[in-house]
């Protein structure tokens, strides 16, 4: 018999053992205990564990210890046969036979790192999360009091915030253990966040606000570990983001099909984090088998003889138990076994640093897991996307107002709002793999956070407007008869879209300031709402800051009702400076001749032809029969994007219930184009905007689809209002948008945190922050942009997006209700920078602020900063606490690039900085009012400027 056969015979002859057939989780009550099977005695368990470890050790050493192993096995088998049991004495004597292996065994070490995996609101409400946190930590502290050797590690700044707010006495006990070094804080994120759907800026804020809070309140000093055991995949830029925030170690469990355990995870920029992929599970127990697979892990860790054992009951808290500690203390006495010590995750990584140069480099994204999570609980997705955009706008507008009029930056309020949104990034909340209570709590956080962001934007615009000199604009104020000022409160901010723009003007001449929060000038169609205007709509006109008439278009040709006020909407075409504002004036033209009114309505029958919407760049054709897009032509190249004989639009899917859940989009059983167009409205063709609305029925639901094409815009906007009444049962209903292509491709570009990536097409959803693009080498590439969705699917002849997944687990009714979704479909060049600019523009509107006639020191048009680069994009413009402006962004082409920042005033000082505003060594040149910084390919950068 081989040694393995002898060991198997010995092990199976000892009562209470069960041979494993595959990997088994070790947390929870063992199956033997559940079945009331008496486990082997301590001596039996010890010798069997020692033998199993020694077998693998000898194998790794080319049979070096086979003789001692064979002698010990033969001895024990003989004792088992003659005595019927393995006595404690026999086990001790066998251990003596194995004594030659002891020294080699003790050259290996296992660090036992205890932690408590605490899911934020996964299958329960927030009040239960608070209870879980407090009860778990009290148990940990009690164990610490009893066992001086015991160490514990805990991630997530949010749990420390819970302790601070709900149990200050407990907080003091924990702080003492942190200071002592036995309680390791492994938090570099507010929660154990999803890493595919939060933006790169959000992932940076996780690091920033976690460090600021824990260092200030808890006295924590180390923030170099990204602890993400349960996160559902990791974008390729995680190492770049982590390194920019001073994080250099990465622990994860899911992802990396290569099966490396210890490796260097490298971003496209070349930045690395030393990474450990959990080969077992992050919830586990201390058992006699912790050394069983250790030698295999050593192989996958480039020979590192130190191992990491992660243990602690988790998901619903709990953490390590006294049983774990007692077992570990006993195992420290085992002779033919690795050294056992209580330790921390950083203890392990510090050991791993010694062999860093021997480790393999992994330079690919660590996806995919739980692809359905890019769509499920779509209300949460919408809230997150809109809040990320609102935070950018709030900070940028605060920087503009701060530099122009000394507007105070509400940093504390915005930080609190950011923290609330970061909480929803937990890998079971943003992903939608949660219950209704969790969703409702997230939606409440989104509402209060949006109130903070919108207030900051509105106040920034207001204080600027109050300082703009509009005294040169003649107005006709009739205070006695005007009821316009104060109208429009709460208007236009439903579904987390829009910023309050309450009317501040009166009379027939109205003044509006248009604001652009982006760092490049924009000429786009802006929609203004004018309240209680009593003029003649036929004589309405618009002019710019210089008094020149400008193009406009009425959306409403008669007054509309909103509560107790009337309004009209007006489109205006005007360029707005980069991170700045301009002024437009609405007025009533004079009357040259008295009008004559004749019948102007159609005198012939309406023809139901296909609807064609056309501007300078695009022609889109809507089928009169189906209400779907049958043609989409890029006029700049003349190329058709839609496949011949095919149509783009909504598709209703039936998917297999067994393979469907919040985590997965199941196997498709049937795809049915949503083409039952029960009503196709008349097309509205205008100089600035053309549109048509189609109404559909789909199963028990309805969908209103409005196609909008505006002046000079390459993409057609698709506004969806879906009253979704489908629920899962025998099948799972799914709603998608599908764009059949006129060309074949197997290369698709998607934006990911802090950049973009090109992936091959697969028959499953993949994550994209805001867009997916089907690359074509010889011309126009189709691009699909969303305001609130993440689950794209690129296939050879189609570019698709999953909109609604009516999964039944864990929330049986996650999607019933009215969904508002905006998509943009059209042509792009395939360039990453262009795609980023398109998607950013779609997700950030031009704001406006009504005002009145007054004196001031600011001109009618002004700008803070304009950024020019052929490949870099800006992700944040912020005021700093010391009065500077911080501009942050990332390079998209993979090549070293120069980024030029142009300010309207002389720059006093500029320096490249990291996430915490510490100076970096990037080359920065200052020349008058311009700053130029050199940026590495695919890298993040930040510049701090004093004006």
């Amino acid at each position: 018999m081989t040694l393995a056969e002898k060991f198997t015979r010995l092990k199976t002859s000892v009562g209470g053992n069960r041979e494993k057939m595959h990997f088994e989780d070790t947390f929870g009550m063992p199956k033997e205990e559940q079945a009331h099977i008496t486990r082997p005695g301590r001596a039996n368990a010890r010798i069997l564990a020692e033998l199993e470890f020694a077998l693998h050790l000898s194998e790794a050493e080319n049979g070096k210890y086979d003789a001692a192993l064979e002698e010990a096995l033969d001895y024990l088998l003989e004792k088992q046969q003659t005595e019927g049991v393995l006595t404690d004495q026999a086990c001790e004597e066998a251990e003596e036979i194995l004594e030659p292996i002891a020294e080699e065994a003790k050259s290996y070490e296992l660090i036992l790192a205890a932690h408590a995996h605490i899911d934020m609101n996964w299958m329960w409400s927030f009040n239960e999360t608070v209870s879980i946190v407090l009860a778990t930590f009290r148990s940990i502290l009690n164990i610490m009091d009893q066992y001086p050797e015991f160490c514990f590690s805990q991630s997530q700044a949010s749990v420390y915030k819970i302790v601070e707010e709900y149990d200050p006495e407990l907080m003091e006990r924990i702080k003492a253990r942190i200071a002592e070094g036995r309680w390791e804080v492994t938090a570099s994120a507010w929660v154990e966040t999803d890493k595919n759907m939060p933006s790169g800026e959000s992932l940076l804020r996780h690091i920033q606000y976690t460090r600021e809070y824990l260092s200030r309140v808890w006295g924590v000093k180390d923030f170099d570990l990204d602890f993400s055991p349960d996160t559902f995949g990791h974008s390729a830029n995680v190492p770049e983001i982590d390194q920019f925030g001073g994080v250099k170690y990465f622990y994860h469990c899911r992802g990396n099909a290569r099966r490396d355990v210890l490796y260097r995870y490298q971003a496209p920029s070349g930045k690395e984090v030393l990474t450990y992929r959990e080969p077992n599970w992050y919830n586990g127990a201390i058992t006699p088998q912790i050394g069983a697979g250790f030698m295999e892990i050593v192989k996958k860790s480039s020979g590192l003889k130190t191992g990491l054992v992660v243990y602690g009951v988790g998901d619903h808290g709990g953490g390590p138990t006294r049983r774990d500690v007692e077992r570990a203390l006993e195992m420290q006495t085992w002779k033919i076994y690795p050294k056992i010590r209580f330790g921390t995750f950083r203890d392990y990584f510090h050991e791993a640093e010694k062999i860093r140069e021997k480790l393999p480099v992994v330079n690919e994204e660590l996806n995919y897991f739980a692809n359905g999570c890019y769509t499920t609980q779509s209300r949460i997705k919408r809230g997150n996307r809109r809040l990320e955009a609102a935070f950018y706008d709030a900070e940028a507008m605060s920087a503009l107002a701060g530099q122009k009029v000394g507007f105070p930056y509400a940093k504390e309020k915005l930080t609190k709002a950011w923290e609330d949104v970061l909480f929803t990034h937990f890998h079971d909340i943003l992903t939608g793999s949660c219950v209704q209570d969790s969703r409702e709590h997230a939606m409440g956080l989104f509402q209060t956070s949006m109130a903070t962001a919108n207030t900051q934007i509105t106040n920034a615009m207001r204080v600027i407007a109050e300082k703009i000199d509009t005294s040169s604009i003649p107005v006709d104020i009739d205070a006695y008869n005007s009821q316009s000022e104060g109208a429009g409160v709460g208007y236009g901010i439903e579904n987390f879209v829009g910023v309050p723009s309450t009317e501040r003007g009166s009379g027939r001449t109205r003044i509006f300031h248009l604001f652009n929060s982006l760092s490049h000038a924009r000429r786009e169609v802006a929609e203004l709402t004018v309240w209680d205007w009593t003029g003649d709509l036929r004589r309405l006109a618009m002019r710019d800051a210089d008094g020149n008439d400008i193009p406009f278009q009425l959306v409403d040709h008669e007054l509309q009702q909103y509560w107790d006020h009337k309004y009209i909407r007006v489109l205006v075409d005007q360029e707005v400076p980069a991170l700045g504002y301009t002024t437009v004036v609405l007025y009533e033209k004079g009357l040259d001749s008295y009008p004559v009114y004749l019948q102007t309505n159609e005198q012939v029958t309406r023809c139901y032809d296909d609807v064609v919407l056309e501007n300078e760049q695009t022609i889109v054709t809507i089928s009169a029969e189906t209400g779907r897009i049958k043609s989409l032509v890029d006029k700049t190249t003349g190329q058709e994007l839609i496949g011949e004989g095919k149509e783009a639009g909504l598709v209703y899917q039936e998917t297999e219930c067994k393979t469907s859940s919040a985590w997965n989009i199941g196997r498709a059983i049937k795809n049915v184009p949503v083409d039952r167009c029960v009503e196709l409205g008349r097309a509205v063709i205008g100089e600035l905007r053309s549109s048509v609305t189609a109404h559909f029925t789909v199963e028990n639901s309805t969908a209103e689809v409005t196609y909008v094409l505006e002046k000079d815009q390459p993409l057609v906007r698709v506004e969806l209002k879906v009253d979704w009444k489908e629920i899962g049962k025998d099948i799972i209903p799914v709603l998608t948008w599908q764009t059949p292509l006129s060309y074949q491709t197997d290369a698709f570009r998607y934006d990911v945190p802090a950049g973009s990536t090109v992936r091959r097409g697969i028959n499953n959803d993949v994550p994209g922050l805001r867009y997916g693009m089907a690359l074509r080498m010889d011309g126009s590439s189709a691009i699909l942009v969303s305001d609130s969705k993440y689950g794209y699917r690129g296939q050879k002849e189609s570019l698709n997006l999953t909109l609604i997944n009516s999964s039944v687990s864990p929330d049986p009714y996650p999607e019933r209700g009215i969904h508002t979704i905006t998509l943009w479909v059209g042509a792009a060049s395939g360039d990453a920078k262009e795609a980023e600019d398109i998607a950013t523009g779609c997700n950030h509107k031009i704001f406006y602020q009504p005002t009145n006639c007054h004196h001031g020191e600011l001109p009618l048009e002004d700008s803070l900063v304009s950024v020019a680069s052929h490949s870099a994009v800006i992700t944040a413009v912020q005021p700093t606490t010391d009065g500077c402006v911080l501009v942050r962004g990332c390079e998209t082409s993979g090549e070293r690039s120069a980024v030029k920042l142009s300010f309207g005033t002389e720059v006093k000082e500029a320096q490249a900085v990291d996430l915490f505003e510490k100076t970096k060594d990037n080359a920065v040149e200052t020349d008058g009012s311009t700053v130029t910084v050199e940026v590495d390919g695919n890298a993040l950068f930040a510049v701090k400027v004093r004006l």
Side-chain angles (χ1 to χ4, degrees):
M1 287 191 296
T2 64
L3 290 175
E5 288 171 333
K6 288 183 178 181
F7 177 70
T8 300
R9 175 174 291 185
L10 176 67
K11 185 177 179 182
T12 53
S13 69
V14 175
N17 273 309
R18 173 177 55 84
E19 283 286 86
K20 295 179 182 177
M21 303 303 293
H22 49 74
F23 171 77
E24 293 181 4
D25 299 331
T26 58
F27 67 98
M29 182 184 291
K31 293 180 179 179
E32 290 82 358
E33 291 184 11
Q34 297 176 44
H36 305 289
I37 297 173
T38 302
R39 304 296 299 278
R42 290 188 179 183
N44 284 194
R46 172 173 176 163
I47 194 61
L48 289 173
E50 289 178 319
L51 283 166
E52 187 171 358
F53 170 73
L55 278 170
H56 294 302
L57 174 60
S58 186
E59 181 182 356
E61 296 293 332
N62 299 314
K64 180 178 179 180
Y65 302 111
D66 285 2
L69 280 163
E70 187 142 30
E71 181 181 353
L73 285 166
D74 288 343
Y75 171 76
L76 290 170
L77 284 168
E78 189 271 332
K79 287 291 186 181
Q80 176 71 13
Q81 184 175 4
T82 58
E83 299 181 10
V85 294
L86 292 184
T87 63
D88 289 358
Q89 182 179 353
C91 292
E92 291 173 7
E93 290 175 357
E95 194 174 67
E96 291 299 321
I97 297 172
L98 297 174
E99 181 62 32
I101 310 176
E103 183 177 355
E104 181 100 24
K106 293 302 179 186
S107 70
Y108 292 84
E109 180 181 53
L110 288 172
I111 296 174
L112 310 186
H115 86 120
H117 184 65
I118 301 176
D119 283 318
M120 297 293 106
N121 305 7
W122 175 27
M123 302 290 238
W124 48 83
S125 57
F126 178 70
N127 59 298
E128 189 168 338
T129 298
V130 172
S131 175
I132 292 165
V133 169
L134 301 181
T136 297
F137 289 177
R138 199 168 295 280
S139 297
I140 299 304
L141 290 168
N142 291 342
I143 295 174
M144 283 187 160
D145 291 342
Q146 185 174 349
Y147 300 96
E149 309 93 330
F150 172 69
C151 298
F152 177 72
S153 302
Q154 182 61 51
S155 63
Q156 305 191 110
S158 61
V159 300
Y160 296 93
K161 187 71 172 178
I162 286 172
V163 174
E164 180 198 6
E165 291 185 351
Y166 293 95
D167 199 334
E169 181 272 332
L170 191 66
M171 177 181 179
E172 294 306 313
R173 291 181 63 190
I174 294 173
K175 286 176 70 174
R177 293 305 187 188
I178 291 173
E180 184 185 8
R182 291 175 58 199
W183 185 300
E184 179 190 38
V185 177
T186 56
S188 62
W190 199 255
V191 292
E192 289 176 10
T193 176
D194 179 78
K195 282 187 160 61
N196 279 313
M197 290 179 285
S199 67
E201 194 60 39
S202 287
L203 294 177
L204 289 174
R205 302 308 174 97
H206 274 283
I207 299 172
Q208 178 184 355
Y209 295 139
T210 294
R211 179 169 173 173
E212 288 178 356
Y213 169 68
L214 289 176
S215 59
R216 173 175 51 84
V217 177
W218 291 79
V220 178
K221 295 182 174 61
D222 296 321
F223 300 93
D224 53 1
L225 175 57
D226 181 342
F227 188 75
S228 301
D230 197 25
T231 298
F232 300 167
H234 316 275
S235 85
N237 283 330
V238 164
E240 170 66 27
I241 294 168
D242 278 350
Q243 279 281 0
F244 194 79
V247 176
K248 56 185 180 180
Y249 304 129
F250 182 38
Y251 173 91
H252 74 104
C253 185
R254 305 186 191 276
N256 191 359
R258 292 160 48 104
R259 295 305 182 215
D260 304 291
V261 170
L262 184 62
Y263 60 96
R264 291 149 59 189
Y265 186 17
Q266 187 180 81
S269 65
K271 301 288 177 51
E272 295 180 356
V273 285
L274 185 57
T275 301
Y276 183 86
R277 181 190 61 79
E278 178 57 61
N280 293 303
W281 200 241
Y282 54 86
N283 290 334
I286 301 301
T287 74
Q289 281 73 49
I290 60 173
F294 182 27
M295 297 310 299
E296 184 65 23
I297 294 172
V298 170
K299 290 180 191 176
K300 295 178 180 293
S301 303
S302 299
L304 179 65
K305 299 175 80 171
T306 299
L308 179 65
V309 178
V310 179
Y311 69 103
V313 179
D315 292 352
H316 199 253
T321 66
R322 284 183 171 80
R323 182 188 70 177
D324 295 318
V325 179
E326 288 288 348
R327 284 181 175 178
L329 292 172
E330 180 187 329
M331 292 167 70
Q332 287 178 341
T333 68
W334 293 4
K335 297 178 180 178
I336 318 301
Y337 213 66
K339 286 191 292 186
I340 301 289
R341 70 178 174 97
F342 297 101
T344 66
F345 289 89
R346 288 186 179 84
D347 289 341
Y348 172 79
F349 278 110
H350 293 163
E351 291 296 316
E353 284 281 14
K354 298 175 182 178
I355 63 159
R356 186 185 189 106
E357 297 307 313
K358 296 170 59 178
L359 297 175
V361 174
V362 175
N363 51 12
E364 61 199 40
E365 60 182 3
L366 305 182
N367 281 315
Y368 305 99
F369 177 79
N371 302 52
C373 285
Y374 309 141
T375 299
T376 312
Q377 295 281 18
S378 58
R379 293 174 182 84
I380 297 177
K381 270 73 169 176
R382 180 172 192 80
N384 175 67
R385 175 76 64 77
R386 303 319 309 155
L387 258 300
E388 287 178 333
F391 284 145
Y392 170 90
D393 294 331
E395 292 170 349
M397 296 302 294
S398 295
L400 173 64
Q403 292 297 319
K404 296 299 178 182
V405 296
F407 177 63
Y409 178 45
K411 185 178 189 303
E412 281 191 29
K413 291 181 179 178
L414 275 172
T415 297
K416 171 61 168 63
W418 260 112
E419 290 170 355
D420 284 347
V421 173
L422 297 181
F423 182 91
T424 70
H425 289 171
F426 185 77
H427 59 261
D428 281 314
I429 299 178
L430 181 56
T431 57
S433 49
C434 56
V435 294
Q436 181 178 338
D437 278 353
S438 185
R439 181 187 73 219
E440 290 180 352
H441 181 251
M443 299 311 294
L445 294 177
F446 289 146
Q447 291 183 44
T448 55
S449 296
M450 184 59 83
T452 299
N454 274 351
T455 300
Q456 189 74 0
I457 296 168
T458 302
N459 284 341
M461 291 193 297
R462 175 183 55 79
V463 297
I464 291 174
E466 289 171 352
K467 298 295 183 181
I468 297 173
D469 187 354
T470 56
S471 60
S472 63
I473 302 172
V475 296
D476 54 343
I477 299 175
D478 181 2
Y480 184 79
N481 292 311
S482 174
Q483 64 173 34
S484 60
E485 185 169 1
V489 292
Y491 173 81
I493 60 174
E494 303 92 341
N495 303 304
F496 301 117
V497 174
V499 172
S501 297
T502 307
E503 183 64 76
R504 295 301 174 208
S506 62
R508 298 186 183 187
T509 300
R510 303 289 178 90
I511 304 170
F512 298 90
H513 302 305
L514 306 183
F515 288 86
N516 172 19
S517 65
L518 303 184
S519 57
H520 59 270
R522 302 166 71 186
R523 186 176 196 98
E524 296 179 9
V525 174
E527 183 175 298
L528 310 177
T529 302
V530 187
W531 294 94
D532 296 320
W533 195 68
T534 58
D536 186 340
L537 291 178
R538 294 162 303 175
R539 295 163 56 193
L540 184 147
M542 300 289 299
R543 57 176 178 246
D544 62 17
D546 296 323
N548 303 310
D549 281 345
I550 57 176
F552 72 95
Q553 178 182 333
L554 279 173
V555 177
D556 305 305
H557 294 276
E558 58 185 33
L559 293 174
Q560 306 295 306
Q561 179 79 23
Y562 181 77
W563 296 97
D564 287 335
H565 289 275
K566 303 288 186 178
Y567 69 89
I568 54 170
R569 290 167 293 167
V570 182
L571 304 178
V572 61
D573 178 30
Q574 183 68 8
E575 181 171 295
V576 187
L579 190 45
Y581 65 87
T582 191
T583 303
V584 297
V585 180
L586 179 149
Y587 69 101
E588 186 180 57
K589 292 187 297 186
L591 189 63
D592 294 327
S593 61
Y594 195 77
V596 174
Y597 302 106
L598 300 176
Q599 172 64 268
T600 58
N601 292 337
E602 288 180 292
Q603 302 299 308
V604 295
T605 301
R606 176 185 176 188
C607 295
Y608 297 98
D609 297 325
D610 292 342
V611 177
V612 178
L613 309 179
E614 182 175 0
N615 65 10
E616 298 78 4
Q617 299 192 51
T618 303
I619 306 174
V620 57
T621 304
I622 313 300
S623 167
E625 179 181 352
T626 66
R628 295 158 61 83
I629 299 175
K630 63 186 298 184
S631 174
L632 188 56
V633 177
D634 179 6
K635 292 173 67 173
T636 62
T637 64
Q639 290 177 317
E640 171 68 64
L641 296 180
I642 306 298
E644 186 176 357
K646 299 178 180 179
E647 295 177 341
L650 297 174
V651 172
Y652 173 77
Q653 286 186 339
E654 292 184 353
T655 62
E656 181 181 65
C657 185
K658 184 176 181 180
T659 52
S660 297
S661 67
W663 292 270
N664 295 294
I665 302 291
R667 178 183 65 88
I669 299 172
K670 184 168 66 173
N671 287 277
V672 181
V674 178
D675 56 7
R676 191 165 185 263
C677 182
V678 296
E679 180 185 346
L680 184 64
R682 288 180 179 268
V684 177
I685 306 300
E687 180 183 357
L688 301 185
R689 175 189 292 174
S690 297
S691 64
V692 65
T693 299
H695 296 263
F696 300 89
T697 59
V698 48
E699 295 298 310
N700 302 303
S701 304
T702 60
E704 179 184 291
V705 181
T706 301
Y707 305 98
V708 181
L709 191 62
E710 294 182 335
K711 186 176 187 293
D712 290 325
Q713 297 305 304
L715 276 58
V716 58
R717 186 167 74 242
V718 184
E719 300 173 351
L720 305 173
K721 185 175 182 180
V722 181
D723 188 354
W724 190 249
K725 299 176 181 177
E726 312 309 310
I727 59 174
K729 194 175 180 183
D730 299 329
I731 56 94
I732 302 299
V734 173
L735 187 68
T736 71
W737 174 276
Q738 295 189 4
T739 309
L741 303 173
S742 61
Y743 57 96
Q744 290 192 355
T745 182
D746 197 30
F748 298 86
R749 184 181 297 281
Y750 305 94
D751 59 336
V752 299
S756 70
T757 190
V758 176
R759 303 174 178 133
R760 297 183 61 187
I762 64 171
N763 190 25
N764 210 331
D765 288 4
V766 299
L769 290 181
R770 296 169 302 179
Y771 74 83
M773 184 161 54
L775 297 176
R776 176 157 61 176
M777 298 302 105
D778 59 349
S780 305
S781 295
I783 186 170
L784 177 58
V785 181
S786 160
D787 74 333
S788 56
K789 302 298 173 183
Y790 297 89
Y792 292 82
R793 186 175 302 204
Q795 296 175 295
K796 286 191 175 181
E797 293 184 349
S798 67
L799 178 60
N800 310 325
L801 178 64
T802 305
L803 306 179
I804 299 175
N805 173 25
S806 298
S807 64
V808 295
S809 173
D811 183 350
Y813 311 110
E815 301 292 3
R816 290 193 67 179
I818 296 175
H819 298 255
T820 57
I821 306 161
T822 303
L823 310 177
W824 292 263
V825 188
S829 67
D831 177 69
K833 167 71 160 55
E834 180 195 50
E836 287 289 320
D837 287 343
I838 288 173
T840 300
C842 290
N843 280 268
H844 293 268
K845 292 183 178 181
I846 289 176
F847 303 124
Y848 70 93
Q849 178 71 21
T851 188
N852 47 40
C853 179
H854 55 254
H855 291 281
E857 59 266 23
L858 292 180
L860 293 174
E861 183 173 286
D862 205 354
S863 169
L864 175 60
V865 59
S866 175
V867 181
S869 171
H870 74 276
S871 62
V873 295
I874 302 304
T875 60
V877 181
Q878 299 174 263
T880 65
T881 54
D882 58 355
C884 296
V885 176
L886 183 73
V887 180
R888 186 160 51 233
C890 61
E891 201 283 330
T892 64
S893 71
E895 299 178 358
R896 189 169 175 82
S897 176
V899 180
K900 183 178 180 180
L901 287 67
S902 299
F903 295 86
T905 185
E906 185 174 357
V907 174
K908 297 178 181 177
E909 182 184 8
Q911 55 188 348
V913 295
D914 65 9
L915 183 61
F916 302 98
E917 300 180 25
K918 294 184 179 178
T919 303
K920 295 187 69 175
D921 57 2
N922 298 56
V924 177
E925 294 183 2
T926 302
D927 183 10
S929 62
T930 65
V931 176
T932 303
V933 59
E934 293 291 328
V935 183
D936 291 334
N938 293 313
L940 288 160
F941 68 92
V943 184
K944 185 176 180 180
V945 180
R946 184 178 299 280
L947 300 176

